[in-house]
Amino acid sequence: MDGNGSAALVVRVWLEDGADSFRGRLTSIDTSPAAAGAGAATVALVSSPRDAVEAVRVWLAGFLGDAASTIDGDE
């Protein structure tokens, strides 16, 4: 990566069946200058808040794994 990498993650959640069933979709798009015109990609479909949090964690780990150096606060 050239140090100009960026991405966006959209987390959409909703309740189905009269508020009984949690659902979520995480969608990512590469917003780096070199990725002009790249489409969005579904990262995960989830059925619990815990699954949504875990999917965000995994996505961030993958994004940071592509980074050239560590980020402040990275464990």
Side-chain angles (χ1 to χ4, degrees):
M1 182 174 283
D2 63 5
N4 291 325
S6 64
L9 182 67
V10 175
V11 179
R12 179 178 174 251
V13 297
W14 64 95
L15 299 172
E16 290 183 341
D17 301 327
D20 291 338
S21 298
F22 179 93
R23 297 288 185 257
R25 177 185 304 266
L26 286 73
T27 305
S28 177
I29 187 164
D30 187 343
T31 59
S32 301
T42 296
V43 173
L45 300 172
V46 298
S47 59
S48 75
R50 182 176 296 199
D51 291 344
V53 170
E54 178 64 11
V56 170
R57 188 197 65 75
V58 168
W59 180 83
L60 283 170
F63 179 78
L64 293 174
D66 293 338
S69 61
T70 60
I71 306 297
D72 288 343
D74 190 21
E75 296 179 29

